[in-house]
Amino acid sequence: ETGVTQSPTHLIKTRGQQVTLRCSSQSGHNTVSWYQQALGQGPQFIFQYYREEENGRGNFPPRFSGLQFPNYSSELNVNALELDDSALYLCASSIVLAGQETQYFGPGTRLLVL
Amino acid sequence: AQKITQTQPGMFVQEKEAVTLDCTYDTSDPSYGLFWYKQPSSGEMIFLIYQGSYDQQNATEGRYSLNFQKARKSANLVISASQLGDSAMYFCAMREENYGGATNKLIFGTGTLLAVQP
């Protein structure tokens, strides 16, 4: 049990729509990262938030945006959905244990774009 | 460019035997961390083990050990005494400790699907 939860678990949208995915982590987890995992691939880094500000971004267009809130929850927003956005979206929060910062992942949200 | 390579798309192992999952990496950064994650069919990525680039000893966590060969840029995962519950996708990942401000960015390989047979 990582203490990281995501909602919804599954979602179906149509092309052109907008979607918001949510993640909640434990108190003290100041950093949250979002990843996209297409079928048969490893996760790809979308962006990271630290203390409510984006401080790193992967190779994703601006229609992927996010928010982090003071209560350790966060959102991933995707506008103008495309068929290729169909994937498993994972959020991960970071905690330092024994001097090592490790990312713990939530169960993910499976998004299908039709 | 930073890259993780996992050359084994799938592996079979008999229950109670040991298995090695291969991982090679490429980076020019002298400071980095290597991770292994397990992903069951449910989708959640489960952290297994970590190895820092400056660690002198190979990491171990229960039945998991990491065979770290820095000169060869390899970080193979060894699972001893395989169990049926070990059947899952396994991902090797790297974090460059000096990546701009986002020190937590993980770069993943394409994964190895492990099937443990009774």
Side-chain angles (χ1 to χ4, degrees):
Chain A
E1 189 63 42
T2 65
V4 182
T5 60
Q6 291 186 244
S7 63
T9 56
H10 297 80
L11 201 54
I12 300 175
K13 291 284 188 177
T14 57
R15 195 169 47 182
Q17 284 188 312
Q18 179 267 342
V19 68
T20 297
L21 310 182
R22 293 179 174 83
C23 173
S24 179
S25 55
Q26 293 181 340
S27 174
H29 291 208
N30 294 320
T31 303
V32 65
S33 302
W34 285 89
Y35 292 82
Q36 180 196 66
Q37 185 178 16
L39 194 62
Q41 301 295 318
Q44 299 289 317
F45 176 77
I46 302 175
F47 46 55
Q48 175 181 293
Y49 279 77
Y50 175 70
R51 294 188 174 179
E52 303 166 47
E53 291 194 3
E54 182 182 307
N55 73 338
R57 189 176 186 91
N59 189 26
F60 282 81
R63 59 189 185 84
F64 285 79
S65 63
L67 287 171
Q68 186 185 26
F69 303 101
N71 65 352
Y72 303 103
S73 67
S74 63
E75 291 181 353
L76 165 64
N77 299 290
V78 187
N79 294 322
L81 283 167
E82 302 177 358
L83 297 180
D84 286 347
D85 295 335
S86 295
L88 176 68
Y89 289 85
L90 297 161
C91 81
S93 68
S94 299
I95 186 172
V96 177
L97 292 174
Q100 162 55 31
E101 188 159 8
T102 301
Q103 290 189 54
Y104 290 91
F105 285 81
T109 293
R110 294 187 187 274
L111 172 65
L112 177 61
V113 182
L114 301 175
Chain B
Q2 308 83 33
K3 188 177 181 181
I4 293 284
T5 301
Q6 295 180 255
T7 58
Q8 306 156 312
M11 291 278 288
F12 288 97
V13 65
Q14 291 293 120
E15 193 177 7
K16 300 181 184 178
E17 293 187 349
V19 63
T20 298
L21 306 183
D22 294 341
C23 171
T24 58
Y25 60 92
D26 190 18
T27 180
S28 57
D29 194 322
S31 180
Y32 52 89
L34 296 159
F35 300 78
W36 277 92
Y37 284 87
K38 171 184 178 182
Q39 188 176 44
S41 56
S42 60
E44 184 173 356
M45 299 287 282
I46 302 168
F47 167 73
L48 296 178
I49 197 167
Y50 164 83
Q51 179 83 42
S53 58
Y54 293 117
D55 293 345
Q56 295 298 312
Q57 294 187 329
N58 287 343
T60 60
E61 288 286 348
R63 295 187 298 111
Y64 304 107
S65 60
L66 201 153
N67 184 2
F68 181 47
Q69 298 186 43
K70 194 170 182 177
R72 297 181 59 187
K73 292 189 174 179
S74 74
N76 298 339
L77 177 70
V78 180
I79 305 175
S80 63
S82 296
Q83 301 172 355
L84 296 179
D86 293 335
S87 295
M89 199 74 171
Y90 288 80
F91 288 95
C92 179
M94 175 174 65
R95 180 183 69 208
E96 293 198 332
E97 313 290 61
N98 296 317
Y99 169 73
T103 59
N104 292 327
K105 175 186 177 182
L106 290 175
I107 300 164
F108 285 85
T110 53
T112 296
L113 183 61
L114 177 66
V116 180
Q117 298 175 318

